[in-house]
Amino acid sequence: MEDIDAIAALQDPVRRRLYEYVAAQGREVGRNEAAEAAGVTRTLAAHHLDKLAEAGLLESGSRRLTGRSGPGAGRPAKVYTRAREERTVSLPARDYRTAAELLAEAAEEAGLDTGLTAAARRRGEALRGSTAPCGDLDEAMRLLAERGYEPYAAGASDDADEPAEEPARAAARVVRLRNCPFHAVAERFPPLVCGMNLALLEGLLGTEGPVRARMDPRPGECCVALEASKNNEH
């Protein structure tokens, strides 16, 4: 019942707005920032943020938001990030994760990577249907947001091996995905599941359009990143 209790904590509309804001940032968020984003007082925000932490939906810590240390740097402030633990509710109880892990284990042992990626690409194409390949990164972000990937625009500064670019172009040049819908299974079988995920997105977005999906694993994020195809850059 713990997952049910945790999700029930989001029933309050203010609490849900605060959770959604913190979850969307992908970084630590202080009480003042969260309160301003939710349009409530700092005291009320602090109350609800702590309740979310008690429910296990957020993780809390403390740090100096000024970025300074030593005398005069101010007291550490309480900050919050989305908890990494996954919450699911199924009535009656179901255990699809175990089934997925067993299938992934069997596929890995049998060397079925090629067949799995082919099936994933076909599924992506089926989801796209008769529509043309994704038109640009903005369209890709909207599409993947609907599928729970939590996309966000990343600039050139996030790629240490890439040259710096104009700020306006860099902001839209790469799209990264904060959430992996297959996180639990991908942690146990990363090559297999990440390859499947890449093929799924290739089928969903299309490989002949202006958006290219590529493998770029990063801690705490989806293993796939999106960018404009080289032959479609202006």
Side-chain angles (χ1 to χ4, degrees):
M1 298 295 287
E2 287 184 3
D3 283 358
I4 294 178
D5 293 338
I7 294 173
L10 296 172
Q11 183 176 1
D12 183 282
V14 173
R15 197 171 295 173
R16 182 162 185 167
R17 288 204 304 274
L18 288 165
Y19 173 78
E20 289 175 343
Y21 179 78
V22 173
Q25 303 317 301
R27 56 173 173 79
E28 294 176 329
V29 174
R31 287 172 168 176
N32 287 339
E33 179 186 347
E36 184 177 352
V40 298
T41 65
R42 183 183 184 280
T43 301
L44 182 59
H47 168 75
H48 284 303
L49 289 167
D50 285 340
K51 289 295 184 182
L52 289 167
E54 290 174 11
L57 295 172
L58 297 180
E59 295 177 356
S60 63
S62 61
R63 66 176 176 87
R64 288 186 173 89
L65 298 178
T66 61
R68 303 194 305 271
S69 60
R75 296 175 58 186
K78 200 162 188 179
V79 293
Y80 303 84
T81 56
R82 178 170 58 181
R84 294 292 299 163
E85 184 178 357
E86 185 177 313
R87 300 286 185 175
T88 59
V89 173
S90 177
L91 297 174
R94 298 287 188 263
D95 191 4
Y96 299 114
R97 178 187 297 181
T98 297
E101 290 177 347
L102 289 171
L103 290 169
E105 183 177 352
E108 190 171 75
E109 291 178 352
L112 300 178
D113 306 52
T114 302
L116 178 61
T117 55
R121 189 170 289 106
R122 289 194 300 270
R123 174 58 64 89
E125 291 169 349
L127 291 172
R128 177 160 54 90
S130 59
T131 59
C134 203
D136 54 31
L137 288 175
D138 288 338
E139 183 181 343
M141 289 181 72
R142 290 192 296 271
L143 181 62
L144 297 188
E146 293 173 355
R147 302 196 67 81
Y149 281 90
E150 299 183 4
Y152 69 97
S157 60
D158 294 315
D159 291 309
D161 57 345
E162 295 283 344
E165 300 186 36
E166 293 292 333
R169 183 181 168 209
R173 189 177 61 84
V174 176
V175 169
R176 301 196 181 279
L177 312 171
R178 285 200 177 95
N179 182 50
C180 172
F182 315 110
H183 171 72
V185 187
E187 279 197 323
R188 288 196 58 190
F189 308 95
L192 182 76
V193 178
C194 290
M196 176 198 76
N197 186 32
L198 175 62
L200 177 70
L201 293 184
E202 287 176 338
L204 181 64
L205 301 174
T207 57
E208 303 301 322
V211 176
R212 182 174 77 94
R214 60 178 171 85
M215 195 72 76
D216 188 14
R218 293 195 170 193
E221 294 192 353
C222 177
C223 57
V224 176
L226 311 178
E227 63 185 4
S229 299
K230 299 298 182 183
N231 57 355
N232 285 281
E233 291 181 347
H234 299 291

